[in-house]
Amino acid sequence: MAKNGAHEGRTTGSGAARRTPAGAAVLREDKTAAIRAAVFEELAAVGFARMSIEGIARRAGVGKTAVYRRWRSKLHLVLDVVSAVAVAGLPSPDTGSLRGDVRLLLEVAARALRHPMASQIIPDLLAEAARSPELAEALRTALHESQQSMAAAMVERAVERGEIPAGVDGKLALDLLTGPLYWRLVVVRDDLPAGYLDALAQSVAAALGAE
């Protein structure tokens, strides 16, 4: 009996040892990171409509099951990845002046929009959003609302410093920040001449009421 009991104990122990790595493999961060990177590469290469879980898995060097364990469809995968990037995108600057905050934000946004993948992915997703209400709503939240609190905080600090009058719309500030850059870098696909960001920062600050 003791012998059998000992044998069962070893079996239970070895079974637990086998189960732990299996559970850990599902949550392996290196695989998750590889899949997230593959999403952007696949979007840039083939676009949302032609993108597939199979293509993402192949590019990430994982099996399809590794993708499906984390996301149930390519739509949910793209929404999760885009939302995460948007939330971590523009910083919440506090340089001590509105013009300084705007200039820093413009620099970060310009760097992101200049990236070859961004210039391909963003227009493709926006076009796809015209056909998918779910994607449209998610992109609106990810690309706009996630940045709204940042713009509102920037405006509030400028009001507290006495740089601009109270009542300035944070949404207007965000539009002024991102609109010109998106038009120039993504729509027109033109280079930014020397001094452009400085001049744009001055114009945005002045439009918001700064002296």
Side-chain angles (χ1 to χ4, degrees):
M1 291 294 293
K3 184 176 181 179
N4 289 340
H7 176 69
E8 288 174 1
R10 287 196 302 272
T11 301
T12 301
S14 62
R18 285 195 300 270
R19 284 194 298 271
T20 300
V26 175
L27 302 175
R28 278 178 54 182
E29 288 300 322
D30 57 337
K31 284 190 176 183
T32 302
I35 294 169
R36 289 179 182 275
V39 170
F40 286 106
E41 293 172 3
E42 196 73 0
L43 278 173
V46 304
F48 180 85
R50 295 176 57 197
M51 188 181 75
S52 66
I53 294 296
E54 290 80 1
I56 293 169
R58 182 167 55 251
R59 193 179 288 273
V62 301
K64 287 192 298 182
T65 54
V67 181
Y68 281 118
R69 284 188 188 116
R70 293 161 171 82
W71 300 277
R72 64 179 182 269
S73 71
K74 76 171 185 178
L75 176 61
H76 290 91
L77 171 53
V78 169
L79 294 183
D80 177 59
V81 171
V82 171
S83 297
V85 170
V87 169
L90 293 179
S92 183
D94 189 5
T95 64
S97 72
L98 178 61
R99 186 181 180 282
D101 290 351
V102 170
R103 179 62 176 80
L104 177 58
L105 286 171
L106 289 173
E107 178 65 35
V108 174
R111 190 181 309 123
L113 291 174
R114 279 194 189 106
H115 195 286
M117 283 191 185
S119 64
Q120 292 174 282
I121 291 171
I122 294 175
D124 176 73
L125 286 179
L126 292 178
E128 191 64 32
R131 297 183 285 271
S132 170
E134 186 177 6
L135 180 59
E137 176 61 22
L139 287 178
R140 186 180 71 84
T141 300
L143 299 177
H144 184 75
E145 292 182 2
S146 63
Q147 308 300 336
Q148 193 58 57
S149 60
M150 174 277 300
M154 180 185 71
V155 167
E156 183 179 351
R157 286 192 295 268
V159 171
E160 291 173 352
R161 289 191 297 260
E163 292 182 90
I164 58 176
V168 172
D169 188 355
K171 291 183 179 180
L172 173 63
L174 190 58
D175 290 344
L176 291 171
L177 274 165
T178 57
L181 283 181
Y182 183 83
W183 171 261
R184 184 128 191 178
L185 294 174
V186 180
V187 179
V188 180
R189 294 178 181 269
D190 197 5
D191 292 333
L192 300 183
Y196 177 84
L197 293 182
D198 290 328
L200 182 57
Q202 181 64 38
S203 296
V204 170
L208 294 176
E211 296 295 333

